[in-house]
Amino acid sequence: MKAEKIDKKQAILDAAEKLFCETGYEGTSTRQISKESGANMAMINYYFGSKEGVFIEIMNGRIASFGSQLKIINEDKISSLEKLHKIIEGYVNRILSNPAFHKMMHRELSLTQRPEMYDKIKDAMSQNMQIMDRIIADGIEDGSFNQVDARMVIATIMGTITNIVISPHKVMPFSSFDLNNPKDKKNIKERTITYLQDLLTVYLTTKK
């Protein structure tokens, strides 16, 4: 019975994520989520309380998953630069595995009428930022990195990836380019990872 409840809860999350990507947050109703997941409205309310609760659960799950990946990388016995390279590769692959969700998430959280949703997931995001901060700080302390603004470095990584997902035509000026096409996606992944790794290597380690 317990396993059945877990499966039903996950079915609700999967259905909601699909609908949010297709029609946006405003365009998705709990009734649609209920129909898509096969769960009744009472069950959605029981697990999540509201549509907002479903969205926050999805976001926190993704953030926590990336946080687990960051912790593993941070505990690895490699240099701070190698850790950042791994983070870049992991983040690019994670975001481009589902660009539709990332576009939807970025749109919804940047809307002025959604500050309460952003506030509810900010703590989870902050924990991930602190791990990245620590990796950069360690590189500065051991002399392998220049004295840099760590948060600007993090913003450069995340902002570049988000910009490519939202406006891929800026780096792939072909009308036929499609992020859902495996060949095009592989191309943009490799370019993004190589660019960010090279950019940060030069910025962080070239002595001024």
Side-chain angles (χ1 to χ4, degrees), residues 14-30:
D14 292 342
E17 182 172 322
K18 177 177 178 287
L19 290 166
F20 287 148
C21 289
E22 291 175 352
T23 61
Y25 181 82
E26 285 297 337
T28 300
S29 67
T30 50

Side-chain angles (χ1 to χ4, degrees), residues 117-176:
M117 286 208 304
Y118 178 75
D119 285 343
K120 287 177 181 176
I121 66 170
K122 191 162 58 175
D123 287 345
M125 294 174 69
S126 177
Q127 291 174 24
N128 289 357
M129 298 279 276
Q130 287 171 17
I131 295 174
M132 296 175 73
D133 267 339
R134 184 67 259 162
I135 290 170
I136 296 169
D138 287 344
I140 294 171
E141 288 170 13
D142 68 23
S144 57
F145 288 170
N146 297 319
Q147 290 287 340
V148 296
D149 184 328
R151 286 300 169 104
M152 290 300 287
V153 172
I154 296 169
T156 297
I157 296 170
M158 296 183 171
T160 299
I161 298 167
T162 294
N163 198 27
I164 287 170
V165 170
I166 293 173
S167 305
H169 63 276
K170 291 179 179 177
V171 292
M172 296 291 284
F174 309 112
S175 58
S176 61

Side-chain angles (χ1 to χ4, degrees), residues 52 58 123 164 193:
E52 179 185 308
I58 292 169
D123 287 345
I164 287 170
I193 290 168

Side-chain angles (χ1 to χ4, degrees), residues 146-149 202-208:
N146 297 319
Q147 290 287 340
V148 296
D149 184 328
V202 172
Y203 177 65
L204 291 170
T205 66
T206 301
K207 299 304 176 185
K208 298 175 181 178

Side-chain angles (χ1 to χ4, degrees), residues 59-188:
M59 285 299 306
N60 282 341
R62 284 178 167 266
I63 293 166
S65 176
F66 187 53
S68 296
Q69 188 177 356
L70 286 175
K71 287 175 184 175
I72 291 169
I73 292 171
N74 190 37
E75 290 167 3
D76 204 351
K77 303 301 181 185
I78 55 177
S79 70
S80 294
L81 184 62
E82 289 171 311
K83 289 177 182 180
L84 282 183
H85 281 192
K86 279 194 169 186
I87 288 170
I88 288 167
E89 186 174 356
Y91 194 56
V92 170
N93 282 315
R94 178 176 289 271
I95 297 304
L96 286 173
S97 68
N98 191 348
F101 179 85
H102 189 69
K103 284 194 282 188
M104 179 277 299
M105 176 211 73
H106 184 267
R107 181 179 66 247
E108 298 301 339
L109 293 180
S110 63
L111 292 175
T112 54
Q113 63 264 42
R114 303 264 193 275
E116 69 289 344
M117 286 208 304
Y118 178 75
D119 285 343
K120 287 177 181 176
I121 66 170
K122 191 162 58 175
D123 287 345
M125 294 174 69
S126 177
Q127 291 174 24
N128 289 357
M129 298 279 276
Q130 287 171 17
I131 295 174
M132 296 175 73
D133 267 339
R134 184 67 259 162
I135 290 170
I136 296 169
D138 287 344
I140 294 171
E141 288 170 13
D142 68 23
S144 57
F145 288 170
N146 297 319
Q147 290 287 340
V148 296
D149 184 328
R151 286 300 169 104
M152 290 300 287
V153 172
I154 296 169
T156 297
I157 296 170
M158 296 183 171
T160 299
I161 298 167
T162 294
N163 198 27
I164 287 170
V165 170
I166 293 173
S167 305
H169 63 276
K170 291 179 179 177
V171 292
M172 296 291 284
F174 309 112
S175 58
S176 61
F177 176 75
D178 182 4
L179 267 179
N180 294 314
N181 179 298
K183 184 178 178 181
D184 288 343
K185 184 181 288 189
K186 182 175 183 291
N187 182 303
I188 203 70

